[in-house]
Amino acid sequence: MRALGQPDRTSLEIPLGFGGIRSPVLTTTAAIVLLALVQAAIFALTSLLDAVRSITQQLLQDKTTLAVQRMVMEQAASLDLSFFEDSASYDLLRRAREDTATRPVMLVSGVFGLIQTTIVFASMITLLVALGPVLALIGLVSPIPAFVAGTRYGWLGYSLSRWAAPLQRRMQYLMALVTTDTYAKEVKLFGLGRYFVGRFGLIAGAYYGRERRFITARYLAGFLWGSITTIAGGLTYLYVALLAVAGRLTLGDVGLYTQAAASVQNSIRGILGDLSGMYEHNLYLSNLFELLATPGRIRSSINPRPLPRPLRGEVEFQHVWFRYPSLDVFAVRDLSFRVAAGETIAVVGRNGAGKTTVIKLLCRLYDPTRGRILLDGIDIRELDVDELRGAIAGMFQDYVAYQATAAENVGLGNLDDLDDRARIEAAARKGGAHHLIAGLRRGYDTPLGTWFDHGAQLSGGEWQRVALSRAFMRDARLLVLDEPTSTLDAQAEYELFERLRRLTEGRTAIYISHRFSTVRRADRIVVIERGRAVEEGSHEVLMALAGRYSRLFDMQASAYTGKAVKLWP
Ligand SMILES: Nc1ncnc2c1ncn2[C@@H]1O[C@H](COP(=O)(O)OP(=O)(O)OP(=O)(O)O)[C@@H](O)[C@H]1O
Ligand SMILES: [Mg+2]
């Protein structure tokens, strides 16, 4: 007995087992059943392949989007602070993050599409050239205008998205103003909700108007230029039909001609469409490449000098000048002062004098325009940046309130000890946050902030204590505190400065404060005015000098005692 569907048989027969009698009806039925089965199998396979394609495409898309976001984050983490202080950078970041995510996969599928269409095109054009060179030429040329228009509109679309980036960022900002807890209080108090929504509407209107004009123009132009291809197609059919009428083509030829001509036209249109699509994807991807190519200017020198061990912690500013890239005037001008190892100095001065800038320069968040900053006699630009920052513990004026657990909020001050609860607790005691945290619902495991996990919200001063505790996670040689007590109550401030003597033991400490009760406890005080050190010495020395410090001090004291002070000598 032979198996069903053996290849060497011309017709299919089903053996019935009655002495070799075969029924032609049954043979035909069997053939049909078999064909139906084969077709069903092909259908099943096609839908399976479709499903597989959807799965891979979707996963590839998601994976690429996540990879792009991760690349953007990694690059952003390695960029200088000054990069983030420029609105153009935010636009670039937004474009790199949002406009490019889907492009790589689209580009890849464009390439595959191109290969596929090129194969069809190559086989059909050979056929068509042989059949009728004029038809081949028409098929080749007619889609070109649509391609040129498509490419031009691709570029215009990209320009539009660049133009819209600042608008979209402003809209996101307005949206955040009315949807984020930190802003909500003030927005409600001043009744700004409607105003911001109105502003959003105005910007959205401008954006939408331009987008609408562009989209209408793009698709109408696509239609108009595409009509050339359609007309050419129609003329081809007419030409072939006339040839048939004239008896120069058989009916079979007509079918072949028109099929080949349509196929060539379609494939050339597909190829050109893929090319202009790839051009457009590439334009958008250039945002990502532009971001990735942005260099961090503040980096370690090629051969960084090792940090001296043990580090004494002597800091010296030598004729330091510094100008913010966005500012015309110097924020720090010819600033020179020295902090001996283990000394505690206070930096005072009016708002905008340049105090915070001094701290930022010491942490090498910027490099001085002129002059040098020395740590133990070494220019900090010669040190490894990470090593330098690792030697500094501190708190900035605008410290961060992390939406994370209390333990993490403190522990983030030293990643290596993020899981060391004993150490975190010790740091919290130093920063004055231990009792506060211990009293929370889940102690150190309580999430802080209300963005995730039903966290606990802290008061302004409580957040500052947590930030201060974070600074004490590091056993660093240098301690820099920018207004560490600005929101602390009188008792907390008093206690902190009682502790500070002990906490700064064996460390060099620089702190900035507007509260003279705190400032006077420092070993030495540096008074900064318009970026320059104008007075320097202990509290007693500076009071005896009867200069700016004593005047500022008296002014603050008078607020408590009610005694009038002469503002200007
Ligand atoms: N990121 C920045 N970009 C541009 N200019 C800045 C930047 N930060 C500060 N400035 C400018 O530099 C000057 C000094 O600012 P700085 O923050 O050092 O003052 P400050 O002494 O700390 O003041 P405050 O007592 O208010 O904290 C100010 O005039 C300010 O306008
Ligand atoms: Mg400041």
Side-chain angles (χ1 to χ4, degrees):
M1 224 191 273
R2 305 180 80 164
L4 210 74
Q6 204 103 352
D8 59 336
R9 302 179 81 161
T10 46
S11 68
L12 290 163
E13 294 159 8
I14 295 182
L16 296 176
F18 297 115
I21 304 168
R22 297 174 202 284
S23 150
V25 177
L26 274 181
T27 314
T28 319
T29 318
I32 289 170
V33 168
L34 182 69
L35 281 177
L37 282 177
V38 170
Q39 189 164 29
I42 290 175
F43 274 149
L45 191 66
T46 316
S47 17
L48 178 69
L49 286 180
D50 264 352
V52 170
R53 195 186 56 188
S54 297
I55 293 171
T56 44
Q57 220 164 32
Q58 188 80 47
L59 291 183
L60 190 64
Q61 184 60 69
D62 288 351
K63 206 165 174 157
T64 326
T65 307
L66 293 174
V68 166
Q69 285 170 346
R70 202 190 148 112
M71 273 158 91
V72 169
M73 268 183 91
E74 270 172 7
Q75 174 67 358
S78 74
L79 285 170
D80 300 343
L81 179 61
S82 54
F83 174 84
F84 297 96
E85 292 173 343
D86 181 5
S87 65
S89 312
Y90 283 103
D91 291 336
L92 176 61
L93 265 175
R94 204 202 71 81
R95 283 186 280 125
R97 195 180 54 222
E98 289 169 25
D99 291 351
T100 59
T102 54
R103 302 287 168 173
V105 174
M106 283 156 99
L107 198 63
V108 171
S109 56
V111 172
F112 281 119
L114 196 63
I115 295 172
Q116 204 177 3
T117 354
T118 309
I119 294 171
V120 177
F121 170 73
S123 49
M124 284 300 159
I125 192 75
T126 343
L127 185 66
L128 197 61
V129 166
L131 291 173
V134 181
L135 293 186
L137 193 66
I138 293 175
L140 276 179
V141 173
S142 65
I144 288 180
F147 164 68
V148 174
T151 313
R152 189 176 136 69
Y153 275 97
W155 186 82
L156 282 177
Y158 172 69
S159 314
L160 182 69
S161 87
R162 280 190 84 114
W163 168 83
L167 290 194
Q168 282 176 331
R169 218 157 47 71
R170 201 169 280 270
M171 290 198 288
Q172 281 174 355
Y173 175 65
L174 287 167
M175 173 94 71
L177 280 182
V178 286
T179 56
T180 314
D181 60 348
T182 22
Y183 305 122
K185 292 187 292 292
E186 195 164 317
V187 168
K188 290 203 181 308
L189 173 65
F190 291 122
L192 298 175
R194 269 174 193 281
Y195 173 72
F196 288 143
V197 173
R199 286 274 300 268
F200 180 92
L202 275 183
I203 299 174
Y207 167 69
Y208 177 74
R210 196 145 169 184
E211 182 92 351
R212 187 184 56 196
R213 283 196 296 281
F214 171 73
I215 288 179
T216 319
R218 179 175 195 167
Y219 288 98
L220 280 183
F223 163 72
L224 288 178
W225 292 113
S227 313
I228 295 182
T229 325
T230 320
I231 293 169
L235 290 178
T236 311
Y237 287 135
L238 187 66
Y239 173 68
V240 172
L242 288 178
L243 283 183
V245 170
R248 288 173 52 195
L249 288 180
T250 67
L251 211 56
D253 287 342
V254 172
L256 191 62
Y257 267 51
T258 46
Q259 283 254 320
S263 205
V264 163
Q265 260 185 9
N266 278 340
S267 49
I268 189 83
R269 200 165 44 191
I271 289 173
L272 295 181
D274 280 339
L275 284 178
S276 75
M278 281 161 72
Y279 165 72
E280 193 177 332
H281 301 324
N282 205 30
L283 279 179
Y284 282 94
L285 272 177
S286 66
N287 288 324
L288 182 62
F289 298 135
E290 190 181 332
L291 176 72
L292 294 181
T294 308
R297 260 164 296 173
I298 296 190
R299 48 177 70 207
S300 311
S301 58
I302 302 164
N303 258 332
R305 285 176 65 169
L307 210 59
R309 292 194 198 277
L311 187 69
R312 284 182 297 119
E314 179 196 271
V315 175
E316 188 171 0
F317 276 61
Q318 285 184 343
H319 305 287
V320 172
W321 291 73
F322 175 70
R323 191 172 66 77
Y324 283 100
S326 59
L327 220 63
D328 292 334
V329 291
F330 280 88
V332 168
R333 296 183 298 158
D334 198 18
L335 180 69
S336 297
F337 68 91
R338 206 179 137 265
V339 191
E343 200 179 16
T344 297
I345 72 151
V347 178
V348 297
R350 302 180 58 183
N351 291 135
K355 304 179 298 293
T356 301
T357 310
V358 166
I359 300 278
K360 291 198 275 191
L361 285 169
L362 178 61
C363 299
R364 236 195 129 195
L365 297 175
Y366 308 100
D367 278 335
T369 318
R370 259 181 275 162
R372 311 195 295 164
I373 302 168
L374 308 177
L375 177 60
D376 280 11
I378 304 172
D379 190 329
I380 57 171
R381 279 172 295 199
E382 291 173 23
L383 298 170
D384 181 273
V385 184
D386 295 331
E387 240 188 338
L388 167 74
R389 292 186 190 151
I392 304 174
M395 193 195 88
F396 284 104
Q397 201 168 6
D398 45 359
Y399 50 85
V400 183
Y402 293 98
Q403 303 274 333
T405 64
E408 283 169 323
N409 256 290
V410 177
L412 285 174
N414 189 6
L415 276 184
D416 294 340
D417 294 332
L418 192 54
D419 296 321
D420 188 341
R421 196 48 70 85
R423 200 172 171 127
I424 289 175
E425 228 181 274
R429 280 181 200 281
K430 290 179 188 166
H434 173 68
H435 291 294
L436 144 79
I437 295 175
L440 291 173
R441 191 164 32 94
R442 284 164 55 197
Y444 278 82
D445 294 315
T446 316
L448 301 187
T450 47
W451 288 14
F452 312 105
D453 311 325
H454 306 292
Q457 187 55 284
L458 301 184
S459 75
E462 288 170 336
W463 271 118
Q464 188 164 26
R465 291 181 194 209
V466 172
L468 203 54
S469 306
R470 189 156 57 238
F472 291 116
M473 271 303 282
R474 270 192 198 179
D475 201 11
R477 193 73 191 138
L478 289 179
L479 182 68
V480 292
L481 301 171
D482 194 349
E483 305 218 23
T485 59
S486 58
T487 58
L488 295 193
D489 61 58
Q491 188 181 337
E493 183 181 14
Y494 178 81
E495 286 169 4
L496 176 73
F497 278 95
E498 286 303 303
R499 275 197 308 274
L500 211 57
R501 279 246 162 257
R502 201 160 34 82
L503 294 176
T504 56
E505 225 165 77
R507 300 181 186 208
T508 307
I510 302 177
Y511 65 81
I512 296 172
S513 182
H514 288 297
R515 299 209 197 173
F516 285 81
S517 50
T518 345
V519 170
R520 62 184 298 175
R521 295 162 183 251
D523 296 331
R524 236 157 20 96
I525 298 151
V526 179
V527 184
I528 294 192
E529 201 171 277
R530 286 200 227 118
R532 228 185 268 273
V534 287
E535 283 173 21
E536 207 180 314
S538 67
H539 171 74
E540 288 72 26
V541 170
L542 292 184
M543 286 309 281
L545 198 67
R548 286 169 180 88
Y549 176 81
S550 80
R551 206 161 51 248
L552 288 171
F553 185 88
D554 287 343
M555 238 185 283
Q556 204 168 78
S558 77
Y560 293 112
T561 57
K563 266 193 263 163
V565 179
K566 225 167 64 183
L567 284 183
W568 307 106

